[in-house]
Amino acid sequence: MLTDELQKKLARQIDSKLLEKDRERKSEKDGFNKNKTLDEVFDKSTTMIVSGLKNSKIISYVNGAVGSGKESKTYWAVGPSGNDLALKIYLVATSNFKKRYPYLLGDPRFTKVRKGTRHLVELWAQKEFANLSQCYESGIPCAKPITIVRNVLVMDFVGKNGVPEPLLVETEVNYEDYENAITIIDDLYNKAKLVHADFSEYNIFKTEKGLVVFDFGSSVDTRHPNAAEFLERDIKNITKFFVKRGLTVTNPSDVIKRIMK
Ligand SMILES: Nc1ncnc2c1ncn2[C@@H]1O[C@H](COP(=O)(O)OP(=O)(O)OP(=O)(O)O)[C@@H](O)[C@H]1O
Ligand SMILES: [Mg+2]
């Protein structure tokens, strides 16, 4: 049994520890909308990056999460002029990025791949940003890229009031959507010189103005040794989706031939 005196001393120690933790948490939250609770996905350096984005007036504050995969979380943020932004943050702590080596190695744009998870995650984020920029510059419908800082990618928000546009999978589809999707794959290959490599009904928004493609982390340069294989997989996957929805579409092998002509 503890004496009263000892118990009091312990209580005081715990109190001061808690206070210290609380202070740490508060300072870490800098750059975030104080009224929103954010999860503990942010390591110290990610928090610093978000503060940096705020200081350089790229964002004003971060609102809630809009999407969370295993390796990244996407947040709705607001810029200084009230513009909506999306912040895709690649998680450093929980990542299993090893299986992504095949999408990096062999891409002539990314020849210096060092070991270590943090580096790999950052390289992956840089790659997504480079892909998104190439796509945007080629006039393919996608979110406008804003900046990349280490593992944090900033782009325009596709949606309204913090609600992303519906995914293709969540909507009713027609033949025009199919044609749109194939045109995107074609333009990616022949204009942006990229293969998406994760093209699916889950990585396409359906908006009033047509389809908008996103999630370019896996995309590779057309010179990548597996580019043809990834292109074939993309076309087959999206064809399967439209066929499942009851549409009659072109044979994937004819589409592949036409695109690679
Ligand atoms: N530019 C954007 N504007 C609005 N919402 C976005 C934007 N980019 C991504 N999102 C939202 O975040 C979700 C996840 O994005 P993305 O597919 O790029 O990440 P991911 O790591 O592949 O995650 P997941 O495993 O959930 O697919 C999307 O389904 C979408 O709802
Ligand atoms: Mg995705």
Side-chain angles (χ1 to χ4, degrees):
M1 278 295 279
L2 294 172
T3 64
D4 273 355
E5 182 115 315
L6 253 178
Q7 238 164 5
K8 267 184 207 151
K9 198 173 163 195
L10 210 57
R12 272 200 301 278
Q13 272 176 5
I14 290 169
D15 277 347
S16 79
K17 270 263 177 281
L18 283 176
L19 205 68
E20 205 180 290
K21 278 261 173 278
D22 205 25
R23 274 201 206 107
E24 262 175 37
R25 263 203 299 275
K26 279 203 180 105
S27 68
E28 277 179 6
K29 270 192 189 160
D30 232 4
F32 293 106
N33 185 346
K34 297 279 193 295
N35 300 321
K36 305 275 173 190
T37 17
L38 288 159
D39 15 45
E40 42 335 309
V41 298
F42 296 93
D43 59 6
K44 257 239 155 62
S45 97
T46 305
T47 311
M48 299 285 291
I49 292 162
V50 174
S51 297
L53 289 172
K54 197 191 166 199
N55 291 338
S56 42
K57 306 266 182 277
I58 292 165
I59 61 168
S60 296
Y61 56 91
V62 181
N63 277 321
V66 291
S68 67
K70 273 197 300 290
E71 277 118 9
S72 79
K73 279 206 172 201
T74 304
Y75 291 84
W76 165 38
V78 178
S81 53
N83 52 316
D84 288 332
L85 295 166
L87 236 61
K88 183 167 179 176
I89 302 183
Y90 277 100
L91 310 182
V92 177
T94 55
S95 300
N96 177 13
F97 270 86
K98 296 249 159 49
K99 65 176 187 292
R100 299 192 165 186
Y101 270 122
Y103 295 85
L104 275 168
L105 302 174
D107 193 314
R109 297 169 304 163
F110 297 90
T111 48
K112 289 189 185 120
V113 182
R114 274 192 281 128
K115 285 223 175 74
T117 311
R118 170 114 217 160
H119 176 70
L120 199 57
V121 172
E122 285 177 11
L123 203 58
W124 191 262
Q126 307 284 331
K127 182 165 169 276
E128 168 144 24
F129 187 76
N131 292 335
L132 179 63
S133 303
Q134 258 171 259
C135 181
Y136 184 76
E137 278 153 24
S138 306
I140 296 159
C142 62
K144 182 182 174 191
I146 307 292
T147 190
I148 176 84
V149 185
R150 300 175 80 106
N151 60 321
V152 180
L153 193 164
V154 188
M155 61 191 143
D156 271 354
F157 191 88
V158 183
K160 284 177 208 82
N161 304 319
V163 182
E165 293 286 354
L167 303 176
L168 185 62
V169 69
E170 297 166 340
T171 63
E172 284 209 16
V173 299
N174 52 43
Y175 192 75
E176 204 188 327
D177 296 325
Y178 165 75
E179 281 185 321
N180 260 331
I182 297 298
T183 302
I184 289 175
I185 296 178
D186 192 347
D187 287 347
L188 271 170
Y189 193 84
N190 288 303
K191 292 184 181 163
K193 307 288 178 204
L194 288 173
V195 176
H196 189 284
D198 193 16
F199 198 83
S200 82
E201 59 275 26
Y202 296 93
N203 286 330
I204 300 170
F205 293 118
K206 184 168 168 177
T207 78
E208 276 170 13
K209 293 181 195 147
L211 305 186
V212 174
V213 58
F214 66 98
D215 200 358
F216 290 94
S218 303
S219 310
V220 298
D221 190 286
T222 49
R223 292 167 293 177
H224 188 288
N226 301 108
E229 180 197 319
F230 295 152
L231 176 71
E232 192 177 334
R233 193 178 64 193
D234 279 353
I235 294 169
K236 281 187 175 161
N237 282 344
I238 205 68
T239 302
K240 214 183 274 171
F241 166 72
F242 283 106
V243 168
K244 212 165 59 195
R245 291 293 183 92
L247 267 75
T248 306
V249 299
T250 312
N251 190 321
S253 55
D254 292 338
V255 177
I256 295 160
K257 262 187 242 144
R258 205 189 68 219
I259 291 178
M260 292 187 77
K261 64 201 165 243

